[in-house]
Amino acid sequence: MNQELDYAEMLEIPVSTVNVVKKKSFFKRKHAAEPASQPEELKEMVVESVNERVGAYVYAEDLSEPPKPEKIKLKDKFSGAAAALKDKGGKVLFIEAVAIGLIAVAIFVTNVFMPHSAINNFLGLFTNTAQGEVSEPVYSELKLSPVVSELSDAEVSVSESGVLSFTAEASVYPVYGGKISRVYEDGDSGLYTVEIAHTSDFTSVITGLTTAYYGADTKVAGNLPVGYSDGSSEVRVSLYNAGALLNCVTITDDVPVWAL
C-alpha cells in the first residue's frame, strides 16, 4: 500500500480511495470483535494524509466524457447552402438594379439634352422593332435594276415626266424587288398592267405587257422578269412615291439611276 501511495504522490494526483488488505497471521489469536467501521475509517485517514502531502499541486481531473459533435443533417446542409446562394443572388440583383437605374438616368438625360445623339438613334431601332414598326429605306436609297435584259436590243428612254419606255420584243423586269399588288387587263387591247409595291410608299406600274407572268400577292425580285412584250406596243414603267409620280431618274448604261 505504501508503494501505491508513493506513486500517487509522485504523479501529484489526488487520491479518492485505497484498498486496505490485512494479512492473515500464522498464529491464530483470539481478539475481540472489532467494529465494522474500522477499515472505512482507516481508508479515510490514509486518503486525507496523501492529499495533504500533495497540497497545492493537486488538481481535479474531469473524467466525464467529452461532448459528442453535433450531427448536421443533410437537409440542414442544403438549407445553409441555399441560404448562402440566396444572399449572393440578392447582392447580384441589387447590383443589376443599380446598373439599370444608371442606364435609365443616362438615357433620360440624353433624351432631354441630346435628342439626336447616337445612343438615342441606336435605341430607337429597338423601340420601333418592339412596337412592330420596321424601319424602311427611302426610295432614293434603293439601287434600281434595268427593266430589260442586257442581251436585249431594246432601247429604254426617259420622258420629261420621268417615265421609262421602250418598244421591242423583250422580257420585262421590275426596277426593284417587291410584291405584286395588282394585275389587270387594259380593256379589249389584250395588254396587261402590273402594279408592284417595293416598300410601303415606293411603287411602280408597268403597262403594255403582252403576257403577265404572276398574279397578285406574288413576291418578285429585280433579276426575274414579271412579264413579256412581243414588241407590238409600247411598254411604260412609271415610278411613284406615296402616290406621286417621280421625275428623278435617268438611264446610265441601260440602268435607271436616281438623278437627285
Side-chain angles (χ1 to χ4, degrees):
M1 181 179 68
N2 292 332
Q3 292 178 354
E4 294 177 357
L5 295 177
D6 293 340
Y7 183 69
E9 292 182 40
M10 180 178 65
L11 295 180
E12 297 181 353
I13 59 175
V15 177
S16 60
T17 183
V18 295
N19 292 327
V20 178
V21 180
K22 183 178 181 182
K23 296 183 178 180
K24 294 181 179 181
S25 174
F26 290 101
F27 303 97
K28 295 182 179 180
R29 295 178 181 179
K30 294 182 179 179
H31 298 280
E34 297 178 355
S37 60
Q38 183 177 0
E40 295 297 331
E41 293 178 356
L42 181 59
K43 290 180 182 181
E44 292 178 359
M45 292 174 61
V46 173
V47 170
E48 290 178 359
S49 176
V50 173
N51 289 337
E52 288 177 357
R53 279 183 286 174
V54 173
Y57 297 99
V58 177
Y59 64 93
E61 182 180 2
D62 187 4
L63 300 179
S64 61
E65 294 183 0
K68 296 182 180 180
E70 184 179 357
K71 294 182 179 180
I72 302 177
K73 296 183 180 180
L74 186 61
K75 181 178 180 181
D76 296 337
K77 289 183 179 180
F78 283 123
S79 299
L85 290 176
K86 185 176 180 180
D87 294 340
K88 185 176 181 181
K91 293 179 181 178
V92 173
L93 291 177
F94 175 76
I95 294 173
E96 290 180 351
V98 172
I100 293 173
L102 293 176
I103 293 173
V105 171
I107 293 173
F108 175 76
V109 172
T110 54
N111 284 336
V112 174
F113 298 101
M114 295 179 291
H116 300 291
S117 62
I119 187 172
N120 285 338
N121 294 334
F122 176 74
L123 294 175
L125 297 177
F126 294 95
T127 304
N128 293 335
T129 303
Q131 295 176 353
E133 299 178 2
V134 179
S135 179
E136 290 183 329
V138 297
Y139 69 90
S140 58
E141 297 176 347
L142 304 178
K143 184 178 180 180
L144 302 180
S145 302
V147 296
V148 295
S149 173
E150 60 181 8
L151 301 177
S152 174
D153 295 332
E155 295 183 1
V156 181
S157 61
V158 181
S159 68
E160 294 181 357
S161 60
V163 178
L164 306 173
S165 63
F166 69 91
T167 302
E169 181 181 2
S171 295
V172 183
Y173 296 77
V175 294
Y176 193 78
K179 186 177 182 180
I180 296 176
S181 57
R182 186 183 179 194
V183 178
Y184 58 93
E185 186 177 359
D186 298 330
D188 297 332
S189 63
L191 301 176
Y192 293 90
T193 296
V194 176
E195 297 180 2
I196 303 173
H198 305 288
T199 67
S200 58
D201 292 328
F202 179 49
T203 61
S204 63
V205 178
I206 304 174
T207 62
L209 295 175
T210 306
T211 303
Y213 292 155
Y214 307 105
D217 298 328
T218 303
K219 291 184 179 181
V220 295
N223 60 348
L224 295 176
V226 294
Y228 169 78
S229 174
D230 61 5
S232 60
S233 61
E234 183 182 43
V235 176
R236 296 166 60 91
V237 181
S238 304
L239 308 180
Y240 297 88
N241 185 67
L245 180 64
L246 295 175
N247 185 14
C248 55
V249 293
T250 185
I251 297 295
T252 301
D253 297 330
D254 297 330
V255 178
V257 294
W258 302 110
L260 301 176

